[in-house]
Structure formats: structure tokens, C-alpha cells
Amino acid sequence: MKILVPVKQAALVEDDFELRDDGRDVDPDFVDLQLNEWDDYSLETALQLKESHDGIEVVAVTVGDDDAEDALRTCLAKGADRAIRVWDDELGDADPVVIARVLAAVAQRETPDLVLAGTQSSDLGFSATGVAMATFMGWPHAAVVVALDYSPGAATATVERELEGGLRQRLEIDCPAVLTIQLGINTPRYASLRGIKQARSLPVEELTPEDLGLEAQDVGEQACGARVRKMYLPEKGQAEMIEGTPAQQAERIAAIVKEVMGG
Amino acid sequence: MGADRALESGKAVMGGETVEPQTLIGRLLARPDAYAAAGLLAAHPDFADHRLLRMALPDRATGLVFAGMRFSPACLLEELGGWQDSAVQRRLAGNPATPAPVIARLLDNSSADPDVGPRLAAHVRTPTDALPGLVADGRLATRVAAAGHPGAGHGLLLELAGRGEMPVLRVLSARADLSTALLARIWERGDRHVQAELLRAATCPRQLLAAAAHAPHALWRRRAAGHPALPEPVRWRLLRDSDARVRAAVAEAPTTPVELLHRFQADPAQRVRIALARRQDLPPSWLDSLARQPGAWLQRWVARNPCCPRQMLERLAQSAAAEVRRAVSRNPATSAFMLARLAADADPWVRAGAAGRADLYPSVLARLADDTEVDVLGAVAANPSTPAERLAGLAMHDDRDVRRAVAQNPAASAAVLAPLATDPYPLNRFVVSQRDALSLATLEALAGDPEPRIRFIAWKRLGALAASH
Amino acid sequence: MAQGILVIAEQRRGVLSPVTQELIGAARAIKNDVGGAVSVAIIARDPASLAEGARLDGVDEVLLLPVTADEFQPDLHVAAAMQAVSERDPSLILAPHSVDGWGYAAALAVQADAGFATDVFAIQVDAGEVTAVRGAYGERAHALLEFPGRDRVLLALRPSAFPAAEGAADSTVTELSVPETAARSRHLEFIDPPSEGGVDIPGAEFILSIGRGVGEEDNVEEFAELAEQMQAVLGCSRPIADAGWLPKARQVGYSGKTASSCKLYLALGISGSVQHLAGMKHVENIIAVNSDANAGIFNVARYGVVGDMFEVSKELRQHFE
Ligand SMILES: Cc1cc2nc3c(=O)[nH]c(=O)nc-3n(C[C@H](O)[C@H](O)[C@H](O)COP(=O)(O)OP(=O)(O)OC[C@H]3O[C@@H](n4cnc5c(N)ncnc54)[C@H](O)[C@@H]3O)c2cc1C
């Protein structure tokens, strides 16, 4: 059995940053790259299944440029069996819809039995890729999963979704399925130093959309759900600064507390 | 605690082994690494080599990181000071480590960038005579920053006060070095909130304090209550203030002689009694009377009070409230005998309190080391009295927080710390990297760490070691 | 040509979610610029019972789309929404960026071949062209999105970002039939959040959290007392738990607990490291008190106080006796 884990190399933007010259994104000099936080949890879910059952292969896949390879190395270091990176410069402006289409094409080639994606990414937070991928594949899906009960090969899985205000929904879902995994479902492991070293020399399979049978019009700008016209800084720094002496500041805090909490 | 602070010092290692400066440089030249190079540059001036400087600044992204980092070596910041890059300059202006020559250069071409002025006006290395020039930029943020600058000249401060801007006056009112003239100017221009802050100033005139005791706002009376030079009649008046908040302020003020507070033991307001219970100069009988009153908080504060006598601690240790028992477990006056009982408490937070005590009986500590609660184990692992074999075992514990507590234990030996240098949890390796007691082999392992910040520290230490020979 | 706005209502346990009113409010505000009618689709086992709550000012038509499940089910939800889309041919579809919204909006966008953006908090319509604004990189930047070449756009709107519609209207009510669809997942039950008992950071609505600014163990007690007075749950950053000054169960952040139900987070002497933010940056009302005006915590706070946490605490106490 095979579990496909789509991951993203997410961008962490520093506090004082500048925009790119074309104004459509943050200047990459102000960005730190890291495996998307949610993907730590989806990968961990896959690895725990692998460890408690025989014969499970975990395949990590990402759509991203050279810089995204580190995300896959992190997955390999933690115990993923294989890693696939899909890229073509045409994907430079890809939005979740296009990424999902590429991931679905990877799934078609890999024929996994389960797809575990992150609920969202820590940089852009679309909360869309996993569900869009399932739709391209025609698979059942459930989003924001915080508990999973699944035996490999079973026709159904039982999952819990985390809803607003801490409420949970327990449901049964037909398998194979795409689940988007929420933080807190487990405690993600850290790669051992030995794992990190070994992962450096493991192969990462590199593919282009073309290799996957996708045409230019499937992945180019016109296929995207949206295009960023420009990015800008929020009008004023988000925080409203409470001025005054400590007594004045405390008075205002107290008023806010009473307003928000009532009473 | 203080973990990040250790970044500032390059500590040498245990044992007599040595490394050669040239070997270190040679190794880096063969395998370039910006953070390792920065570590060497930070270790000793001897390493200020242009090849290392170039290696430490391979691209703009790395330059931006070092420009904002408090632990960047001065030579690197000086190099960055020459970059014509507004983002780098902004970060340098806001970095307390930026050396004086770079600040001077930033002051010279105090640019169009509106964020640089206020940052320079706040920078400790901005010289006194440069502040008036900065303030001339017409920005409120710059004036506020200058008003708080420790080196600001008296003339400038008077001028700033004279403008009557409340945000500036508030900063001025909090300065510890107010002259009588400056205080008078702020008083004249400030609103009642600013004036209230002035009532705390050492130079606050007695007649203002006296007047404050009659002020309608409790805030003024509270502020006056804490003044060290409070005229006696004023203090007497405040002791009998009808507002409990004012009486609490009197009880809290360390300058109020404890003998005057007798009546507060039976004050109707719990707030006042708690303020009393927190004083560290109370006679035991007062503490006793306070501890017998209802209210878990009162007992909690008494149980924390280091002048609480043993007998009373004994009694408080029987409290039904776990937080009171916890407070007893943290009181330095609690005996090892009493700690032994608390170490068997049903509440893990109480056991954890005892487990953190270095004066625990060894047998009790050994029993706690078999506890299953992470808070308890963490405290045992951080306890300097825990024997080395135990620590070595806890360093292998499944819970990463327990392992980290070992890494933080001041008594952990180089041998105990060694395996933690390859802990899968990066934070644990980071903590280890800052420990004094490390073998050369451990430092070498950390020098190849995947985390850049850990490599920076490890190379800084290797560099310091090499330079000391 | 596609015209009009289709709002997809949200319901749970037989009640319309408040975000539905906000979607209608957003639709009403841009209705004239978009052109065409505003229809609200109610997808439920018994949509008629919820119709009244959607007949609000600006709504021309309420569409009833009966499905075979009581609670949200993505296959049925998308099939029903697609039915409404094909019958009304809207140029703009509004869905909630809620947990259920995450469960279907992307699927609907793919099936309807619509332009698509999520977490939208502002919509502009300029000469018929819709653009949308969303946050990026933890709200550090805003992104203006356009949808070139699309004659239909689906926007998932951020809850609480748009004013709720008010005022009843006599919108028409039309029932549409939803083609038979297989539901590939089945609702079993709701599990309510566990109530009190022990330290409950995830369940707390109001958290007062302290960081290394507290300085020493002996100072912690003062903030524990303040938290109790303010009826807040006491939380902390990692160094405080690491030092054994507060139990690990109170640690907020990446390697600690997440403030899942929190409405108000008061951070005292916490710098705002990414790892701490991981547990609380989503909270709507964050008040940060820090003596360093450049502390990162101010980037996520709604209210900021540059000041000494001890002074603020002493003054704060005066208001909660
Ligand atoms: C893998 C990993 C996981 C981690 N997980 C977590 C986690 O789950 N939770 C977590 O919190 N951290 C976590 N950390 C640690 C994190 O990186 C920070 O070190 C930590 O959050 C810093 O805590 P702090 O803000 O309390 O302390 P500091 O960063 O030291 O900040 C103290 C702040 O207090 C301010 N201050 C000082 N005195 C006063 C005063 N009198 N009044 C007002 N302000 C004052 C200072 O200006 C400063 O901003 C993790 C780290 C790693 C590497």
C-alpha cells in the first residue's frame, strides 16, 4: 500500500521586509524557507501508519523550484521512502488550483491508496489545495482532520474534523480518500541527525508537468483561479498602539477585556 | 534560562585539547559556510580575515540576517555598514550591537528613509551631540525616541518638554535622571497622568507630594504613597486613606516602615492584607495572623514569603489548596524533611516543586526520578543534586522536554551532555551548544549541525579555543 | 452571460451560521456593481425550515436545495451548489472561509471552472470586474487578486470581515431539485469540546500569558493572581515552562498547546517568536505588552502596549478587584 503526502516549502517572511520589484510578491531576500507546518503533521500521520503496519510506502511530493527540494529532504530524513519534485518555470505563478491539478496527475501516476495533505500552508493559507486535488482525482475528501482511525486496505476510515469553537465532527469516509490534516493530530517527530545526513544522498525524482501528460494550458497562467495583481503593506501596522502612562494603558486594556469578554 | 544570552560569549571547552586557528580557517575554506565563518569572526579579532568576511556574506539575504542579529560580530556589522542598501541600513540602525563607527556613518547620510531617524535616536551608541540633529527631522517618533535616550543632553530634554507633546512628556516623566528644572517643565506642560508619574521621581518637590495626598484621583495618592521621601504627615494621612488601593500602595512601598502597618493585618480589604503578606520584613506573628484568615491567595503569599517560620510552613503544607502546598515547596525556608512529604503529594505540580529543590534528600530525589509526570521529571532532570547516572538516563528519556531539562542542568557533566548534542530535537542541541562543560568532540559534532545558529555558536567556541592558545 | 451573485449559506445542527448573514451583507454591498440578482442557496435536509433566516435585505431569491444528509457533506454540498450555479448562472459565488467552507469551496471552484480565492476580506468591483483582497504571510502583506478571463468567480470570505445583513425582506423562495448524488462520507456524531477540569489552554476563551519578561520565579505568582482576578486562564511561553515555573500544560506554542477557543489573548513580556505565535496568532483579539517597541509580537497583536509588564499589571489589578 502507498500513501502520497503532498508537501510545500513554505515561506516565512521576516518582520521588516520589502516587496519584489514587480510588486507582486515579497522580495525573496526577506524570506526563510521551511517545510509547511501542517505538512509536518500530515507526514507524521503517514509515518505512524507505516510504522504500525507492514508494507506501507510513503511518497512525498512537492510542486516547487530548486529551493523546494529541502522540504523533500526533510521528509526523507524523517522516514519517507521516496520523494518527487515537479517543476517547470511556467508554474511560477501557479495558484492552488493549478498545483492541485499537477498533484492529481502525480497521483494518477503513483496510484496511492491514501492521500494525506496539510489543511493549509503557513505562508498563504489558501486551505484549498488538498480538496481541489481530490476533486481533480474524483476521490472523496475530508478537510481539517484531527483524528484518524484507518487500517490499510479497509474500505472506510473514521475521522474527526475540527470545527469552529473546539467542536468536533466524527464521520466515516470511503477509501481511497484525500484527507487534509490539521495541527495537533499528533506530535511530529524531528529527523535524527543520521537521517538528515542520509537524506542528503537519497534521490529526488524530478518531473515536469509534461512528463505527467499535462499541457501548457493546464498549468499556465490562464489555468489559475486567480492572479496576484499586486501586494502591498497593510495601511498601518496591524496593532493599534495604546498610548499613555501605565495607568492609562491599563485602563484601556481593562475596557477592551470587558468589551470582548462581556461583563 | 538565559540561553540566548550565552550566544554573546565564546566559551572554551573542558579538557586540555587544542585546535589551531589555521586549521579551522583551512577547514572552512574547503567547505564554506556563512554561519561558521561568522562564528569565527565573532570568536576573536585574529580571525578578521577578508576571506572569512566574504564567506559570511555570500548574498543579500544573509547580509540582511546578520545586519539585524544581536550576536553579529562587529567586523561583520562594519562591513555591512558599507552596503548601499536601505533595508540593511534600517536593520543596522535598529541593532543594539551595531558599533559606533557604523552608527556615525548612518548619522552622516541620515537618509530619506523615515524609519532610520527614530531608530538612531533610540540607539545607545548614538552620541549625545547627534541627537539634536536627528530631532530636527520633524518626526514625533524621533522626538519620543530621543526623549528616552539615556545620553540625551539636559538642554535637549528641556526643549522637548517645552513642546508639550504628551507622548514625549510621558517618556520624559519616566526618566530616572530628572532635574528639578526639567521636572518643573514637564509638570507644567503635562496632563494629570503625566503629573502622576512625576510623583515617583526622586526629585519630586515635597509640596507636590503633600498636595497629592489630597488629590481627588486615587492614582495620585497611590503614586505619592511609594515615594521614598514622603513627608511623615502625608504618610500618616495615606495610611488612613478611604480607598483600599491607596492603602495597598502604602503597604507595598518598601519605604513604609513596617511598624506603621500593624493595623493592616485586619484591614477589611483583602488587597491590603495581601500587599502586607508580600512584604519580606514582617514579624512572624503577623504572618501567622494573616495565614489564619480565609482566602487561598493570602495563604499562597504567606507560604511564598521567605520569612515564614517553619512551623507555619508545616501547617500550610497541609492546606487543601494545591497551590498553597506548591508555594510551600518553593519556599527556601522549607526543610528537607517537609519536602520529603511534599514529594509524595498527590498533585504533580506540588511534587514538581519539591523535585526542583537542590536540598532534597537523595533518596527522595531518587524516588521522584521514577515519577511519570513530565513536570516532575523535568524538575528532577534540571536539579543540580541529581546524580550523574540518573541524569545520563534522563538524557535518553522519550520526552524531549525532560531531555532538555538535563541539557539545562548546571551540574550536567560533559559526558552527560555529549549524547544530547545529537538529539533529534534542534532546541535541545541549541541548549547544549551553550553549555560550558563540553568536550572538544561534542563541539566538533555541533560544528556540523544542520541548524545555522548552532553552527555559529559551535564555531565561535572553537575559534575562541584556538585563539586562546 | 453569467450575471448575479449566488451566496452559499452555511448551516450546522439545523441553524444558519452567523457567517451566512455576513455573506449576504457582502453581496448586498456590491450587488449594483455586479449586476443581476442575489440568490441565497440553502443546502440542508429541510432547507425550507431555514429559509426565513436568509430572507434579508438585498436578497432577491432564496433557493432551497434539499439533500439527503442532516449535516455538511462535501459531495452533496457541491452537487447542490452546482445545481444552483447551472440554473442561475451567477458571475459571482460567495462561500464562507469556514471549516466547512474549506471542505468544499475548492471542489466547487474546480467543478464550476470558476476563478477562485479564499480568505477574502475585501471585494472591489470596477466596471464589472471583480477583484479581491486577502492576507498573505501571516497578514504581513495584503494581496490584490484579479481573475483574468473568468466570467465566474468564487470567493470564500473571511468570517467577521463583512458586516452582517439585517432587516427582513420578502425575497421569493424557490425549491430546486438536486440530482441524486452518492455521499461518500457519513456524519456520525458531533463531539462537544471537553469542559473545564485541569489546566485547559485549548478550551480557554481568555488567556493571560507571561513570557521571559517576568524575570524570576517569585514574580510569577503576581501574574497568576492577576489572571485569576481577570478570570483568565494563565498561559506562558516556553522558557517559563522550561524553568519549571509553570506546568508544561500551560505552555502555548508550537511545542505546547494551541489557544484554540481563545477570544482574547493578553501577552505580557513575550517577544513573539514564531514558535510561540504558532499557538496563538490566530486569536482575534491579541493585546501585547512589551517594553521593546520592536518586539515581533506587535506584528500579530490587535492592540499593543509598549511598557513594563509589572507596571501594567499593577495598574490592571486596580480594575479587577
Ligand atoms: C523547536 C522549537 C520549539 C519551540 N516551541 C515553543 C513553544 O511551543 N512555545 C514558546 O513559547 N516557545 C517555543 N520555542 C521557543 C521560542 O523560540 C522562544 O525562545 C520563546 O518563545 C521565547 O519566549 P519569550 O518570548 O517568553 O522570551 P524572550 O524571547 O526572551 O522575550 C522576552 C520578552 O519580554 C520583554 N520584556 C522583558 N522585560 C519586560 C518587562 N518588564 N515588561 C514588558 N516586557 C518585557 C522583552 O522585550 C522580550 O521581548 C520553541 C523553540 C524551538 C526551537
Side-chain angles (χ1 to χ4, degrees):
Chain A
M1 126 143 216
K2 188 190 286 184
I3 305 176
L4 191 64
V5 184
V7 300
K8 175 178 186 180
Q9 182 77 311
L12 240 84
V13 171
E14 295 164 18
D15 285 343
D16 61 339
F17 63 91
E18 293 180 352
L19 293 172
R20 220 162 59 183
D21 285 340
D22 70 359
R24 296 182 53 222
D25 207 340
V26 168
D27 181 337
D29 282 344
F30 294 83
V31 158
D32 227 11
L33 296 172
Q34 224 173 53
L35 178 61
N36 172 34
E37 198 181 337
W38 274 261
D39 301 342
D40 276 323
Y41 292 80
S42 53
L43 179 69
E44 183 65 33
T45 310
L47 294 175
Q48 289 186 3
L49 280 169
K50 174 182 151 101
E51 282 159 359
S52 50
H53 299 87
D54 285 336
I56 292 186
E57 185 185 26
V58 175
V59 181
V61 54
T62 194
V63 179
D65 61 12
D66 295 353
D67 286 339
E69 191 178 301
D70 277 346
L72 293 175
R73 300 256 172 236
T74 304
C75 298
L76 290 169
K78 291 186 184 203
D81 298 288
R82 287 199 292 124
I84 303 171
R85 181 169 72 85
V86 187
W87 189 245
D88 182 291
D89 286 341
E90 246 186 333
L91 287 162
D93 269 337
D95 80 329
V97 173
V98 165
I99 305 277
R101 180 173 284 145
V102 175
L103 291 172
V106 173
Q108 194 169 28
R109 201 177 110 122
E110 287 289 323
T111 61
D113 300 276
L114 188 66
V115 174
L116 300 176
T119 288
Q120 62 177 61
S121 62
S122 41
D123 49 4
L124 296 173
F126 292 117
S127 317
T129 311
V131 168
M133 177 184 178
T135 311
F136 284 118
M137 294 162 68
W139 278 20
H141 50 88
V144 199
V145 169
V146 282
L148 169 63
D149 183 1
Y150 172 70
S151 312
T156 62
T158 307
V159 306
E160 285 177 25
R161 299 174 62 227
E162 183 184 61
L163 308 179
E164 283 82 2
L167 184 70
R168 287 181 175 210
Q169 180 190 33
R170 206 160 69 84
L171 54 91
E172 180 185 72
I173 185 165
D174 296 345
C175 291
V178 176
L179 306 179
T180 77
I181 303 295
Q182 171 66 328
L183 306 181
I185 187 172
N186 50 40
T187 307
R189 72 194 62 198
Y190 281 82
S192 68
L193 293 188
R194 180 148 28 91
I196 293 173
K197 200 173 271 172
Q198 282 169 352
R200 284 190 195 129
S201 54
L202 291 177
V204 167
E205 194 178 345
E206 294 181 1
L207 298 173
T208 62
E210 207 182 333
D211 297 333
L212 295 164
L214 294 167
E215 317 241 336
Q217 75 257 27
D218 298 328
V219 296
E221 198 173 82
Q222 68 291 344
C224 291
R227 177 180 183 276
V228 177
R229 184 182 286 173
K230 62 166 184 175
M231 257 189 208
Y232 52 94
L233 304 192
E235 291 271 296
K236 55 178 169 91
Q238 227 207 338
E240 171 195 329
M241 296 314 278
I242 300 178
E243 304 289 345
T245 62
Q248 289 172 297
Q249 292 171 325
E251 194 175 323
R252 184 73 209 291
I253 295 175
I256 296 167
V257 169
K258 284 171 184 163
E259 184 189 315
V260 175
M261 301 313 300
Chain B
M1 302 297 281
D4 301 330
R5 258 168 274 148
L7 268 171
E8 285 161 272
S9 66
K11 292 186 185 116
V13 294
M14 307 291 286
E17 301 123 306
T18 59
V19 266
E20 293 298 325
Q22 287 316 314
T23 331
L24 288 177
I25 296 178
R27 270 164 61 189
L28 273 192
L29 291 174
R31 280 194 70 185
D33 172 359
Y35 283 82
L40 281 191
L41 289 168
H44 198 273
D46 282 0
F47 288 104
D49 170 315
H50 66 278
R51 291 168 305 176
L52 288 183
L53 264 176
R54 219 177 317 126
M55 191 188 298
L57 297 170
D59 50 32
R60 180 167 182 248
T62 317
L64 279 163
V65 171
F66 286 131
M69 204 172 95
R70 298 242 318 274
F71 316 108
S72 292
C75 59
L76 210 56
L77 293 170
E78 266 168 46
E79 179 76 17
L80 286 162
W83 287 23
Q84 294 307 317
D85 184 321
S86 58
V88 166
Q89 292 180 354
R90 243 189 337 263
R91 291 195 181 180
L92 288 171
N95 187 345
T98 301
V102 178
I103 293 295
R105 183 151 2 142
L106 290 169
L107 283 165
D108 276 348
N109 47 18
S110 185
S111 56
D113 192 329
D115 288 339
V116 169
R119 290 184 191 204
L120 287 175
H123 202 285
V124 284
R125 297 215 171 92
T126 295
T128 303
D129 55 12
L131 288 171
L134 284 169
V135 163
D137 73 357
R139 295 170 56 87
L140 178 61
T142 310
R143 294 195 291 279
V144 169
H149 195 284
H154 192 244
L156 176 64
L157 295 177
L158 273 176
E159 185 198 317
L160 287 170
R163 301 174 72 120
E165 293 165 312
M166 248 11 102
V168 176
L169 292 173
R170 283 183 209 119
V171 174
L172 288 172
S173 69
R175 288 186 73 99
D177 58 354
L178 291 180
S179 70
T180 320
L182 183 52
L183 189 142
R185 173 94 44 108
I186 301 170
W187 185 276
E188 178 193 321
R189 305 302 311 259
D191 60 13
R192 65 184 168 89
H193 286 282
V194 168
Q195 290 171 344
E197 297 313 298
L198 292 173
L199 293 170
R200 298 203 268 195
T203 42
C204 187
R206 291 169 67 100
Q207 69 273 23
L208 286 183
L209 291 172
H214 297 275
H217 339 287
L219 174 63
W220 280 38
R221 310 203 298 281
R222 284 198 285 121
R223 288 286 182 263
H227 199 281
L230 197 61
E232 239 11 66
V234 182
R235 179 174 287 132
W236 277 97
R237 189 185 167 88
L238 293 174
L239 271 166
R240 283 164 184 74
D241 201 287
S242 61
D243 192 319
R245 291 173 297 183
V246 177
R247 297 197 303 280
V250 178
E252 261 161 29
T255 47
T256 311
V258 70
E259 314 81 72
L260 300 183
L261 298 173
H262 188 268
R263 288 171 6 127
F264 283 177
Q265 291 176 73
D267 194 282
Q270 159 132 325
R271 159 78 20 242
V272 178
R273 284 175 277 135
I274 285 181
L276 189 63
R278 293 179 61 179
R279 286 187 71 107
Q280 313 229 333
D281 54 1
L282 288 194
S285 64
W286 293 25
L287 279 170
D288 192 50
S289 111
L290 288 168
R292 286 179 193 280
Q293 300 178 19
W297 270 106
L298 205 45
Q299 288 165 21
R300 238 168 122 165
W301 282 115
V302 172
R304 287 257 166 198
N305 198 319
C307 34
C308 192
R310 283 228 170 130
Q311 271 174 330
M312 208 182 306
L313 286 170
E314 289 269 12
R315 204 174 67 233
L316 289 164
Q318 320 276 341
S319 166
E323 284 290 357
V324 175
R325 304 198 300 278
R326 161 84 189 184
V328 175
S329 78
R330 302 306 295 160
N331 193 314
T334 299
S335 66
F337 181 76
M338 243 192 286
L339 288 175
R341 189 146 32 79
L342 291 165
D345 200 281
D347 190 301
W349 189 229
V350 180
R351 298 201 298 281
R357 295 287 299 257
D359 49 351
L360 212 55
Y361 297 137
S363 59
V364 176
L365 195 51
R367 182 152 35 80
L368 287 167
D370 294 326
D371 208 288
T372 51
E373 288 288 335
V374 59
D375 287 317
V376 181
L377 287 175
V380 173
N383 193 324
S385 301
T386 301
E389 324 80 72
R390 277 285 183 184
L391 283 184
L394 290 166
M396 301 294 153
H397 197 272
D398 278 345
D399 191 297
R400 60 193 183 196
D401 291 337
V402 175
R403 299 199 302 274
R404 185 167 60 261
V406 175
Q408 285 170 326
N409 188 319
S413 65
V416 166
L417 292 172
L420 289 165
T422 53
D423 195 295
Y425 194 47
L427 184 55
N428 293 2
R429 305 198 300 274
F430 183 69
V431 171
V432 170
S433 71
Q434 338 222 331
R435 295 302 310 272
D436 286 348
L438 293 185
S439 69
L440 186 58
T442 302
L443 263 195
E444 290 285 6
L446 292 166
D449 199 277
E451 295 292 322
R453 274 170 49 106
I454 297 178
R455 292 202 302 279
F456 173 83
I457 301 169
W459 281 87
K460 183 172 171 180
R461 295 184 60 175
L462 284 172
L465 187 67
S468 69
H469 286 282
Chain C
M1 213 193 96
Q3 214 190 17
I5 304 176
L6 175 68
V7 169
I8 316 278
E10 175 167 303
Q11 70 92 21
R12 179 173 298 153
R13 292 171 146 175
V15 195
L16 285 180
S17 313
V19 69
T20 303
Q21 267 172 280
E22 297 165 16
L23 299 180
I24 295 173
R28 184 179 174 277
I30 54 171
K31 178 177 177 176
N32 290 338
D33 297 327
V34 174
V38 170
S39 317
V40 178
I42 302 185
I43 303 167
R45 190 186 287 279
D46 178 17
S49 67
L50 300 168
E52 230 19 68
R55 296 178 73 200
L56 294 173
D57 192 22
V59 175
D60 297 290
E61 181 185 34
V62 174
L63 299 174
L64 306 180
L65 295 141
V67 292
T68 54
D70 289 313
E71 298 300 340
F72 167 73
Q73 198 289 322
D75 301 315
L76 302 181
H77 215 77
V78 170
M82 277 307 289
Q83 185 63 28
V85 169
S86 62
E87 300 226 7
R88 291 296 177 265
D89 195 22
S91 63
L92 181 62
I93 307 170
L94 300 182
H97 190 65
S98 58
V99 175
D100 283 351
W102 300 356
Y104 78 88
L108 181 58
V110 168
Q111 289 209 9
D113 195 24
F116 179 44
T118 60
D119 200 16
V120 168
F121 59 79
I123 310 173
Q124 288 149 21
V125 188
D126 217 357
E129 189 201 2
V130 171
T131 53
V133 185
R134 77 190 308 281
Y137 307 110
E139 299 298 314
R140 282 182 166 77
H142 288 171
L144 177 68
L145 302 178
E146 59 190 7
F147 308 94
R150 299 289 183 159
D151 56 8
R152 182 160 20 252
V153 173
L154 189 164
L155 301 180
L157 306 189
R158 178 185 293 182
S160 305
F162 294 88
E166 286 167 15
D170 52 357
S171 330
T172 58
V173 178
T174 316
E175 175 156 339
L176 301 179
S177 69
V178 178
E180 205 167 300
T181 308
R184 295 172 297 175
S185 61
R186 289 153 296 279
H187 170 82
L188 298 175
E189 60 171 335
F190 285 119
I191 306 165
D192 285 294
S195 56
E196 329 290 277
V199 179
D200 186 15
I201 293 288
E205 293 200 330
F206 178 15
I207 296 174
L208 183 160
S209 209
I210 56 174
R212 198 142 79 176
V214 75
E216 320 177 8
E217 177 174 8
D218 282 343
N219 297 336
V220 171
E221 204 75 338
E222 177 175 332
F223 294 91
E225 192 183 18
L226 179 67
E228 198 177 294
Q229 277 173 4
M230 296 178 77
Q231 296 180 12
V233 171
L234 182 66
C236 65
S237 67
R238 196 262 302 160
I240 305 305
D242 262 12
W245 297 352
L246 283 176
K248 304 264 184 233
R250 294 198 186 272
Q251 178 184 325
V252 176
Y254 187 61
S255 50
K257 298 280 186 292
T258 301
S260 317
S261 324
C262 191
K263 294 202 287 197
L264 178 60
Y265 193 90
L266 177 55
L268 304 175
I270 294 178
S271 59
S273 66
V274 271
Q275 292 91 356
H276 189 81
L277 297 188
M280 46 65 78
K281 65 169 184 286
H282 59 276
V283 176
E284 193 183 334
N285 297 290
I286 297 171
I287 309 178
V289 179
N290 197 303
S291 47
D292 175 3
N294 296 319
I297 189 89
F298 292 125
N299 291 317
V300 300
R302 174 147 182 200
Y303 305 97
V305 171
V306 178
D308 178 69
M309 63 190 280
F310 295 95
E311 300 237 2
V312 171
S313 151
K314 277 203 186 73
E315 292 303 321
L316 210 41
R317 218 165 56 191
Q318 315 290 333
H319 299 271
F320 296 90
E321 296 279 352

